[in-house]
Amino acid sequence: MTDSSSQFDDLDEEQLPVAKHKLHDWTHFAGLYAAEHVAATEFVIGATFVALGAKTMDILLGLLIGNILAVLSWRFITAPIAVETRLSLYTYLNKIAGDSMTKLYNWANVVIFSIISAAMITVSATAVRFAFGIPAQLNWYPNNMWFVLIVFGVGIVVVTIALYGFNAVSEFSGICAPWLFVMFTSGAMVLLPALSLDVLAKTLPSDWNDFINLGNQSIWTGVDSFGEPGIGLIEVIGFAWAANTITHFGLIDMALLRFAKKKSYGFATSTGMMFGHYVAWIAAGIMGAGAAVILGKSIVALDPGDVAYYALGWSGFVIVIVAGWTTAITNLYRAGLAAQAIFSNHSRMKTTIVVGVITIIIACFPFVFSQILPLLTYAGLLVVPVGGIVFAEHQIFPRIGYTSYWSHYKSLTFSTPAIASWGLGLVFGFGLNALDVMSFFYLFIPTWIFTILIYTFLAGRYGAKEVYPEAAQREKERNENIRNYQEQKAKEEKPNLMDNSLATRVLKILGYLALIVTLVLAWIVLFGSEDELSYLENRETFYSIAFICTLVYFATAYWALLRGKQKNQN
């Protein structure tokens, strides 16, 4: 290893571009996004569309269009910058805007992602609470010590997995993703007959028009929770597109997509959007309405534990716990990255532990979960201006003759254009919201464009129009030294070996057979129930066998994962 490269030994690898030998193929991202976006929040959002008074056709078409727009945003906005820089947003922003804005922004992200993670830990805890008969936590504070202990138990699992970094998050998500999709789909199939019996007096809609009629009468009625006309197609499209602005337009997912071999892997986010934010949102609405019929309650009065239990039996407890974990782990990983960028003299593992403990404490207070949707919406508008600043610096400046990294080349620790643009972007976005100029769901678009224009104008006045040949040469040499350093490190590491042994293949086959059996049983409940009595019998059979299939799937999937790890250790 050369002396010029040894300077990087003291840096955490999260502060360097991802090494070439650590890149992943598209399957990692397909699993990661499928697991993260088929999550416990889908139970809540499924009920939200009901409360907002959407109509059935608006849901079916609007969610499809909105989620396609979200996938395209990841592919053409986030993925190119992530792959070209190989840096997380937190590290890259430091090169663009200096320490002052970066620390301010990272603090904002630590708070945002810690609260999101805390809310998902609380969701998982509600399932365990339901299983042990602990009273529902309806106040903003916990009133049962057992609930607090459950939160800590669930939270410790989340923190432990997040500590091990991207690979651990990806492995856990990869195991959970197929099962989560099967269970959401099965839950809708199991409870649709309950709805059909209540509305149509038969176990199954006869045709497409019958299904739309069922949806309009019992799920997406077009009337909100206050009895007023609800949202329409345009709002549903905007909701689906804006739900993840914090990660695509806001560029937070540079932290994940920097590991992608190709920019086109941004399309892998479609597993999360199509399976999670399309199929799972629709399935959650059906499950919620079905559980409401069974319990004789309003869908908006149910918590995820209620819905999941009556849709999936004991497997429902598992899905709420696991779905909460997958989202909590990913967001805690992001919060740990942001914290590590602030306290750069500490490792990501140390910062993740500290942030994780604080997150678990926050999760003990149920109000966090009840306010998660407003938080997600405002958090997106908060970070979109920063995404616009980075987009302008990386994509627009080279095309108009401006110098990228001009602030870094001038050794500025305080970037007036960046901080001013962020502030003005927030005033512009929240100002439009206060004036009610347009639908809140679309405010991120003009806010993003406005910030790009303001930052480009200000940066030009503060030094972006100038050239810095000496600084640019030093940056080029540093990048070359980093590549040499990482190539040397790669030679010292053992390559990952694929485990294609017969025993591992059998384990994987058994796991997927368990998923197939679950789907077949749900299919029988939906299409093999001739009357109410046979429906109830088939549903009970599904509850029992599906839980066994769940245990088989996780046992075999985890065993196969361990065998693969052991092969690489030998």
Side-chain angles (χ1 to χ4, degrees), residues 39 152 177 198 266 315 375 475 481 515 525:
F152 268 83
D198 183 65
S315 294
L375 171 69
E475 181 71 11
N481 288 335
L515 297 183
V525 175

Side-chain angles (χ1 to χ4, degrees), residues 77-78 81 89 245-254 387 390-391:
I77 295 177
T78 315
I81 302 176
L89 176 63
T245 47
I246 191 171
T247 54
H248 47 68
F249 268 75
L251 298 179
I252 294 297
D253 270 1
M254 282 177 63
V390 175
F391 183 87

Side-chain angles (χ1 to χ4, degrees), residues 62-138:
L63 290 184
L64 179 63
I65 296 173
N67 285 309
I68 289 174
L69 290 173
V71 171
L72 294 176
S73 299
W74 264 299
R75 168 58 184 89
F76 293 105
I77 295 177
T78 315
I81 302 176
V83 170
E84 288 168 13
T85 65
R86 299 292 180 201
L87 296 171
S88 68
L89 176 63
Y90 316 111
T91 304
Y92 190 46
L93 187 61
N94 190 65
K95 294 181 67 173
I96 291 174
D99 291 337
S100 298
M101 179 177 172
T102 302
K103 287 184 177 179
L104 182 63
Y105 179 73
N106 285 333
W107 273 117
N109 277 285
V110 170
V111 173
I112 291 171
F113 288 123
S114 294
I115 293 176
I116 294 174
S117 183
M120 294 302 96
I121 291 172
T122 306
V123 169
S124 294
T126 62
V128 182
R129 183 274 307 167
F130 190 92
F132 287 95
I134 297 171
Q137 305 296 291
L138 303 177

